[in-house]
Amino acid sequence: MSITSSVGIFSGIDTANLIDQLLQIEARPRFQFQARIQSLQVQQSAYLDINSRLRSLQDAAAAFRNNSIFDQKITSVSDEDSIGATATGATPRGSYLFQVDRLVTTQNMLSRGFSDRDQSAFGASSFTFESDAARLEQDVELSSLNGGDGIRRGSILLTVDGDTRTIDLSRAASVNDVLDAINESGLNVTATADDGSFVLTADSGTVTVAEVGSGTTAETLGLLNGTNGTGTLTGDDIYSLDADFSLAALNDNNGVFINSDAGTAAFDFKVIINGDEVSINLGDIYEEVPVDPDPDDPDAEPETTLELTEARVGTLGAAVDRINQQLADGGYGEISVLISDDGLVIGDALGGRVIEVEDNTSTSGSTAADLGIAGTFSDVMTGDRLLAGLDTKLAANLNGGAGLSGTLDITARNGNVFSIDLTSAETIEEVMDAVDAATGGQIVLGVNDAGTGFTLNDTGGGTGNLIVSGDTADQLRLATDPAGIAEASVRGNAAQFAYITAATSVDNLNNGRGIGLGTFRISDGSGLSAEINIGSDTETVGQLLDEINGQLAALEGPQTVFARVNDNGDGILIEEQVAPGEEGAQRISVEDLNGVVARNLRIAGTAEDSATSNSIDGSYEITVEFESDDTLDDVVEKLNDADAGLSVSVLNDGSIASPFRLSFTSDRSGSDGRFTFDTGGFDLGLDTISVGENARVFYGSRDPASAVLLSSSTNTLDGVVPGLSLDLKQTTDDAVTVGVSEDNDAAVEAAQEFIDAFNDVISRIDSQTRFDEETETRGPLLGDSTMITLRNQLFGTVTGTGDNIDGQYQRLLSVGVEIGDGGVLTLNEDRFREALTNDREAIAELFTRRDLVEQSTTEVLSEGVTVNRVIEGDEFSALGVLGKIEQLTNGYINSVDGVLTRRNQTIDNQIQSQQDRIDTLDARLEDRRLILERQFLAMEQSIASLQSQQASLGQISGIG
């Protein structure tokens, strides 16, 4: 029998209610436990609240050093419509003058008009695009003249046949700027450049040049004391080599290759004297130095390490000094190298010996050749020319860098025959002059309209065919059919001026866009493949080639695929080099694995034919071929697909007859984005809208003549003043003042944020520890010693001094941080700003000084084995006030052992203890309930039994 109703069947007692009442009496401790938990939770919430606000205070204090608040600078610009400026903490305060002479432009060309864009055949067979570096002429910066001293910009007085004009050259930056200014002066004079001199030729009369006032512009241009002939003034040579000439500017800016190997055996070339070798290293020089032995290990083997003793050379003078020093160190001080006007001279004072200068053949280096001294000689060698003229380039770089050989054979239309040896001509200008001299002016050699090739004109009349032949004709790309042509002129294709060598920076490849970083795979003719990883340490084409060939050489068997600069000197060639009949079974291929290095090198893809020419040529000369029925739209699509570094579009100019023009625009701004464009003789009627010029700014003076000339390929100018960045918006007639000063507003704002955070912590502590006598309301942390201690420590720290602070300000109270009514901090802004102006460094030290002492100890683990262990905890030899606030707050909120962290853990434990008591009580009450239920059940059973007995007795009594 069990109880199924709250009221006993036999006793009539509400047993369930009675049991609940009995248990409620026994459960009274639970309410005490729950009240304690609630009280603890309120305290815990209060601690967490304080913890959060302390963290905000710590962040506000740390912001002064983390954000370099006292180093921040602001700029003011006198003409914000023309220049925008931003500064960093590294920018020196002061006023700077900038005059924007020119904004950057992008090369843009427009064609003549076409009648439709999608119906008529365009008519051209191909267009060729290439970097501006492929041009046969150059425009030398004036800063390169006079041994790198440049010219003194200003004005000159030019008199031609009695007519005197002032020529303003205060804004001139290049040789062409000077030539243009003179040629556009309105005088009957033509200005040209010849070798390293300016030449002024009058139509009639005499030419004289004088200074304006006390200026020296004419003198630095070489025109003041030049040779004055009949109607011609030839200036002094102002463009020649000297010790300060940059190696990178030699060889038409192709530079000089220098190895990047680290080690004592690294070298660039050898000088061999009667078989005895002296290695010459122009790169970094290292020596092995001993490493201090371990004092605890007497049996340790001696060790050495490489130490850099001399950095790689950068100028011609440094290179010559290094060569002569290493020759002397090798016992051959009588052999020396000297700098001449346009090259090097190497001589042997003893004479009679055979001397060879040979490049390091184990790398792709070409240092000796780049310096013009590779070869064999006795006594004296006059090296190759390293510097061309003011508007010309070196003939040695024609024909892919192979130069000219053989003869130029010409049969003129009037029957005159000429055979011209041009091998002694050192510059392209000399090549053209030599043709003129050898033919008496009948044959005129010039540069074609694309700027990358030659034209040959026969001015002698006649009706026969013009025949141009010979090795040199092929090298100049001027050779005609053997029968010649019935024309008076020949327009040559690109003469393949070499502008990529082992010394070329990889950043200059891909039309100046660089090749990036990444990995690509080369698979050779037998199917073996090598992965080439190009990182930031690959700086030159020579290093790139060594990287590629080194990986290919590591493949199984003999190396069959090699990388080199191609025959035109305008890209990288990947080719199979095997004996005839031993070609690989498959075409070599190159694919990017990550990054686009191979694509940027233009070598990604597969060789066209493994049997005849198993190679991939990454030439940056891009020729786009057209079909005979291609329309204007077809041409645009093909040109844009060619990735030639420019974009092409169709412009409708609104005219009736031929409204559709082709617009060619470089992908990059400034002179770096210039491209050459060869239509192959097709009449495109090109107009140059913009040649692509760098932004030009004069810095440091209101007078451009005395200012420093700056240029940029974008309208952003960085690095002129450390940390200062200029955004060029428009040209200016006058200099714009850019002021840089300390950002006091940032310091004031940060100080106020710190004060607000401090007051917030104090306010919360006061609130959590309050006692309201009127309402007798108690804060959850009333009487809490932790909070009392924290409050006292905060005020003690903020009003105290820093540790070992040397400046004149020792307390925050002395710089405007004051205690106001109600015990809150306030900021006296005027006083704070005055202190910033008076001694900013002292305020910075007071706020942010933080000299950490590294603490470590040496522990012996076993015999001969020791370790250094860092001791936990920070120790400071000097600490500012806000640094002390950081340390104080960290002691409370540190997530591992902070005071509040431990207090929170203690409360967690106390709450858990109370909960455990509740759980124990609940379990005991449940047991008690079961006991009472069993007792009441037994009582009901007893009553039922008695009642049954009573009924039975009643029945017996009735019977009797």
Side-chain angles (χ1 to χ4, degrees):
M1 174 178 186
S2 64
I3 298 175
T4 58
S5 173
S6 62
V7 178
I9 297 175
F10 303 105
S11 67
I13 300 172
D14 187 348
T15 57
N17 184 45
L18 182 58
I19 291 173
D20 287 340
Q21 291 179 18
L22 293 173
L23 292 179
Q24 284 177 3
I25 295 172
E26 296 186 36
R28 286 175 181 173
R30 180 198 286 125
F31 299 108
Q32 297 174 352
F33 299 153
Q34 289 174 337
R36 180 56 177 159
I37 288 176
Q38 184 177 8
S39 175
L40 289 170
Q41 288 174 336
V42 171
Q43 289 182 32
Q44 187 175 52
S45 177
Y47 281 128
L48 291 174
D49 180 38
I50 298 297
N51 188 90
S52 175
R53 295 169 195 274
L54 280 175
R55 188 169 300 281
S56 296
L57 175 61
Q58 185 184 63
D59 291 342
F64 282 90
R65 61 182 179 85
N66 291 337
N67 300 334
S68 302
I69 293 296
F70 295 107
D71 292 333
Q72 292 183 15
K73 303 292 198 313
I74 56 174
T75 59
S76 60
V77 183
S78 62
D79 183 359
E80 294 182 348
D81 293 333
S82 300
I83 296 178
T86 58
T88 68
T91 309
R93 62 175 300 175
S95 294
Y96 306 94
L97 295 175
F98 297 94
Q99 184 173 353
V100 184
D101 185 61
R102 183 176 66 204
L103 295 180
V104 72
T105 60
T106 302
Q107 183 174 353
N108 176 238
M109 308 174 80
L110 282 180
S111 75
R112 61 178 171 84
F114 294 86
S115 58
D116 64 78
R117 56 186 296 172
D118 57 4
Q119 297 179 23
S120 302
F122 183 67
S125 59
S126 65
F127 290 161
T128 299
F129 302 91
E130 198 163 6
S131 164
D132 193 65
R135 290 187 181 276
L136 303 184
E137 299 168 318
Q138 66 175 338
D139 185 14
V140 175
E141 296 295 316
L142 296 180
S143 58
S144 299
L145 305 184
N146 294 308
D149 291 335
I151 71 162
R152 292 298 302 270
R153 293 192 314 278
S155 297
I156 62 173
L157 289 176
L158 176 60
T159 302
V160 180
D161 198 17
D163 188 1
T164 300
R165 305 280 175 90
T166 299
I167 311 298
D168 183 6
L169 300 176
S170 62
R171 299 170 183 269
S174 69
V175 168
N176 281 347
D177 287 341
V178 174
L179 299 178
D180 291 344
I182 295 174
N183 290 329
E184 296 170 4
S185 67
L187 294 169
N188 295 320
V189 67
T190 300
T192 57
D194 181 21
D195 203 357
S197 305
F198 287 103
V199 179
L200 308 182
T201 304
D203 294 343
S204 62
T206 61
V207 182
T208 61
V209 175
E211 301 286 8
V212 174
S214 60
T216 58
T217 305
E219 181 181 1
T220 55
L221 285 171
L223 293 172
L224 186 62
N225 301 308
T227 304
N228 205 329
T230 303
T232 300
L233 174 62
T234 301
D236 297 331
D237 190 340
I238 57 174
Y239 190 45
S240 58
L241 294 177
D242 70 357
D244 293 329
F245 212 93
S246 169
L247 293 180
L250 299 178
N251 299 311
D252 296 326
N253 296 313
N254 282 335
V256 175
F257 175 83
I258 296 179
N259 81 82
S260 60
D261 296 339
T264 57
F267 72 98
D268 290 294
F269 62 92
K270 294 180 179 180
V271 180
I272 308 172
I273 307 96
N274 287 343
D276 190 15
E277 298 181 351
V278 177
S279 295
I280 306 297
N281 179 16
L282 299 183
D284 292 335
I285 295 180
Y286 295 86
E287 68 177 24
E288 288 188 352
V289 296
V291 177
D292 291 337
D294 186 348
D296 297 319
D297 186 5
D299 298 325
E301 293 292 330
E303 296 182 3
T304 60
T305 186
L306 288 177
E307 182 176 289
L308 178 66
T309 58
E310 291 186 63
R312 60 180 290 163
V313 301
T315 64
L316 188 58
V320 168
D321 290 344
R322 179 78 67 85
I323 295 170
N324 289 334
Q325 182 62 53
Q326 293 181 353
L327 283 169
D329 292 343
Y332 292 97
E334 66 278 1
I335 301 175
S336 60
V337 180
L338 301 174
I339 301 173
S340 68
D341 286 344
D342 49 34
L344 298 179
V345 177
I346 180 169
D348 179 9
L350 295 182
R353 296 182 290 190
V354 176
I355 300 176
E356 301 171 77
V357 182
E358 178 183 286
D359 272 312
N360 184 352
T361 57
S362 65
T363 70
S364 298
S366 54
T367 309
D370 292 341
L371 289 172
I373 56 174
T376 303
F377 71 97
S378 293
D379 301 337
V380 177
M381 173 199 286
T382 299
D384 297 333
R385 185 162 180 164
L386 302 177
L387 185 67
L390 292 177
D391 67 345
T392 188
K393 292 185 175 181
L394 296 173
N397 286 324
L398 293 171
N399 192 30
L404 303 179
S405 60
T407 58
L408 174 64
D409 300 320
I410 303 172
T411 300
R413 298 193 74 190
N414 63 6
N416 289 339
V417 177
F418 307 98
S419 184
I420 309 168
D421 184 358
L422 299 176
T423 55
S424 62
E426 294 181 311
T427 68
I428 293 173
E429 183 180 56
E430 289 181 1
V431 169
M432 295 186 290
D433 290 345
V435 172
D436 181 80
T439 64
Q442 179 177 344
I443 303 298
V444 178
L445 190 65
V447 177
N448 68 16
D449 54 347
T452 58
F454 293 94
T455 59
L456 186 148
N457 294 304
D458 180 359
T459 65
T463 58
N465 281 359
L466 173 62
I467 304 173
V468 185
S469 61
D471 292 341
T472 306
D474 291 332
Q475 294 155 7
L476 295 174
R477 273 61 173 180
L478 288 170
T480 64
D481 289 337
I485 58 173
E487 302 287 343
S489 65
V490 178
R491 182 187 186 280
N493 294 324
Q496 302 305 336
F497 183 86
Y499 55 88
I500 294 178
T501 68
T504 301
S505 169
V506 294
D507 292 336
N508 292 335
L509 300 180
N510 193 26
N511 294 321
R513 291 173 291 187
I515 61 174
L517 309 178
T519 304
F520 59 91
R521 178 188 293 123
I522 298 179
S523 299
D524 66 14
S526 61
L528 297 176
S529 62
E531 293 186 4
I532 317 298
N533 179 262
I534 302 302
S536 58
D537 57 334
T538 303
E539 299 177 352
T540 66
V541 169
Q543 294 171 6
L544 173 68
L545 297 175
D546 290 342
E547 183 92 17
I548 296 173
N549 287 322
Q551 293 297 322
L552 291 171
L555 297 177
E556 296 180 8
Q559 182 178 355
T560 60
V561 174
F562 296 82
R564 63 179 177 87
V565 175
N566 65 14
D567 293 336
N568 289 340
D570 61 10
I572 303 300
L573 180 71
I574 309 295
E575 65 177 347
E576 186 178 49
Q577 296 179 6
V578 293
E582 296 181 3
E583 293 84 1
Q586 62 187 47
R587 294 178 292 171
I588 62 176
S589 64
V590 181
E591 61 176 325
D592 280 308
L593 298 180
N594 61 74
V596 289
V597 174
R599 190 185 75 178
N600 289 336
L601 287 170
R602 300 189 69 82
I603 58 174
T606 305
E608 293 185 1
D609 188 347
S610 63
T612 58
S613 180
N614 199 5
S615 64
I616 300 175
D617 192 344
S619 171
Y620 286 108
E621 179 187 70
I622 300 173
T623 298
V624 183
E625 298 182 348
F626 309 120
E627 302 294 335
S628 60
D629 59 348
D630 279 345
T631 64
L632 196 65
D633 282 346
D634 294 331
V635 168
V636 170
E637 182 178 1
K638 288 184 176 182
L639 291 174
N640 286 326
D641 289 344
D643 190 25
L646 68 156
S647 58
V648 186
S649 60
V650 176
L651 172 69
N652 188 336
D653 64 12
S655 62
I656 298 176
S658 302
F660 301 106
R661 295 170 176 253
L662 288 176
S663 174
F664 301 86
T665 305
S666 174
D667 289 345
R668 301 182 66 209
S669 60
S671 59
D672 290 343
R674 292 176 184 171
F675 58 86
T676 65
F677 183 9
D678 192 347
T679 65
F682 179 75
D683 181 18
L684 199 54
L686 285 173
D687 287 328
T688 300
I689 307 303
S690 172
V691 297
E693 294 181 309
N694 287 349
R696 190 159 64 187
V697 177
F698 294 103
Y699 162 62
S701 173
R702 297 187 183 279
D703 180 8
S706 57
V708 177
L709 177 60
L710 309 172
S711 68
S712 173
S713 59
T714 68
N715 284 327
T716 298
L717 197 61
D718 296 324
V720 181
V721 178
L724 184 64
S725 178
L726 300 182
D727 178 20
L728 310 179
K729 301 176 182 178
Q730 63 183 21
T731 59
T732 60
D733 295 329
D734 301 310
V736 175
T737 301
V738 177
V740 179
S741 60
E742 286 85 0
D743 191 353
N744 286 346
D745 289 343
V748 170
E749 181 180 351
Q752 188 61 58
E753 289 177 356
F754 167 76
I755 288 173
D756 291 343
F758 183 92
N759 289 336
D760 185 48
V761 173
I762 297 300
S763 174
R764 294 305 293 176
I765 292 175
D766 290 345
S767 175
Q768 302 289 12
T769 59
R770 73 192 183 281
F771 175 73
D772 191 327
E773 293 183 357
E774 294 183 2
T775 62
E776 295 188 354
T777 303
R778 296 171 176 267
L781 302 179
L782 177 64
D784 188 289
S785 60
T786 299
M787 291 297 99
I788 294 173
T789 301
L790 172 59
R791 191 181 194 282
N792 292 335
Q793 287 178 327
L794 285 172
F795 271 108
T797 303
V798 81
T799 58
T801 63
D803 294 338
N804 296 324
I805 301 302
D806 300 325
Q808 64 169 306
Y809 300 122
Q810 295 292 312
R811 300 175 186 270
L812 297 182
L813 297 176
S814 61
V815 297
V817 179
E818 303 172 349
I819 299 179
D821 295 337
V824 298
L825 293 186
T826 61
L827 179 65
N828 185 328
E829 185 175 326
D830 291 339
R831 189 176 176 189
F832 186 67
R833 288 181 182 274
E834 180 182 354
L836 285 170
T837 303
N838 182 46
D839 194 342
R840 193 180 192 86
E841 291 185 2
I843 289 187
E845 186 176 6
L846 175 64
F847 276 67
T848 65
R849 183 78 177 269
R850 187 182 177 88
D851 297 346
L852 181 65
V853 177
E854 182 177 347
Q855 302 179 77
S856 63
T857 183
T858 301
E859 179 180 343
V860 178
L861 297 182
S862 60
E863 185 177 354
V865 180
T866 61
V867 295
N868 286 330
R869 296 195 184 280
V870 176
I871 300 174
E872 295 185 0
D874 293 334
E875 181 179 329
F876 300 91
S877 59
L879 193 61
V881 172
L882 267 64
K884 295 178 74 173
I885 290 289
E886 286 185 67
Q887 293 305 109
L888 171 62
T889 53
N890 186 66
Y892 279 87
I893 66 175
N894 185 286
S895 60
V896 176
D897 58 0
V899 172
L900 295 185
T901 301
R902 295 198 306 270
R903 190 72 186 94
N904 183 62
Q905 293 170 348
T906 299
I907 294 177
D908 279 339
N909 293 336
Q910 290 176 341
I911 290 174
Q912 186 60 52
S913 176
Q914 297 300 316
Q915 186 61 53
D916 291 343
R917 291 182 178 184
I918 291 174
D919 293 341
T920 301
L921 178 61
D922 287 343
R924 184 164 58 81
L925 290 174
E926 188 60 31
D927 292 340
R928 181 63 175 154
R929 179 183 295 277
L930 292 176
I931 292 171
L932 290 173
E933 286 178 348
R934 286 197 295 271
Q935 289 176 343
F936 276 104
L937 176 59
M939 181 189 71
E940 288 293 326
Q941 291 174 338
S942 297
I943 293 172
S945 176
L946 291 172
Q947 288 178 348
S948 176
Q949 293 176 12
Q950 184 180 21
S952 298
L953 290 174
Q955 290 177 356
I956 296 173
S957 174
I959 296 173

